Amino acid sequence: MVIREKARGINLEYEPVIEANAALVDYDLWLIDSVIEYGFEGFVKRLEDRVDGSGERFLRYLYALYLIVLSMDLALLSDMPYRMDTLRVLVEWCSRYADEVEDYLDTFLFLVSDYSYETLAGFIKS
């Protein structure tokens, strides 16, 4: 609500900012749920065994999204000076990075779950 009002006040598109924040919350919830369900070691083992080089690409998108969201939120929610053209570029970028993070999370949901992974592996082998 606060982000929406601040963005409207400066004539900035607020939907991508909210979606980017939501993507980070989705990641946090997925991580917490996975560690609770499989334990830390079990979760890490599943990722090591089932996720190839895409894990590194995911982390690049995730870290970039964190940096962009922190920058946008700082500009919108504090009295820190910012350039409007830079903020608009960050809004554009956050939308792309949030989409990538969400796509990876959708994939990782299947790879971490034993049932989903075994079903997919059986389907691919046949």
Side-chain angles (χ1 to χ4, degrees):
M1 189 79 157
V2 175
I3 290 174
R4 182 181 323 154
E5 295 306 316
K6 293 282 189 171
R8 280 183 179 164
I10 59 172
N11 198 27
L12 183 72
E13 189 178 359
Y14 63 86
E15 291 93 352
V17 180
I18 293 171
E19 289 171 6
N21 277 281
L24 293 177
V25 170
D26 286 347
Y27 165 74
D28 289 342
L29 292 174
W30 169 76
L31 183 63
I32 291 166
D33 288 344
S34 297
V35 170
I36 288 172
E37 185 169 349
Y38 302 107
F40 182 75
E41 289 178 10
F43 173 67
V44 171
K45 177 103 172 86
R46 283 170 176 77
L47 289 178
E48 287 175 345
D49 293 346
R50 301 173 183 176
V51 176
D52 56 4
S54 62
E56 290 178 23
R57 290 189 300 275
F58 168 70
L59 288 176
R60 286 188 204 121
Y61 285 114
L62 180 67
Y63 294 155
L65 182 61
Y66 268 116
L67 180 60
I68 291 169
V69 166
L70 288 172
S71 299
M72 288 185 313
D73 288 354
L74 184 63
L76 290 172
L77 302 175
S78 74
D79 294 329
M80 299 292 297
Y82 60 88
R83 290 181 34 190
M84 193 61 187
D85 60 328
T86 302
L87 189 57
R88 289 191 194 285
V89 169
L90 290 177
V91 169
E92 183 181 318
W93 288 356
C94 82
S95 187
R96 283 186 260 156
Y97 287 124
D99 287 344
E100 289 291 337
V101 166
E102 291 286 358
D103 288 346
Y104 275 102
L105 286 178
D106 290 343
T107 303
F108 291 166
L109 279 169
F110 287 107
L111 294 178
V112 171
S113 163
D114 290 335
Y115 175 76
S116 298
Y117 180 77
E118 290 167 7
T119 302
L120 286 172
F123 178 75
I124 290 172
K125 288 179 183 177
S126 60

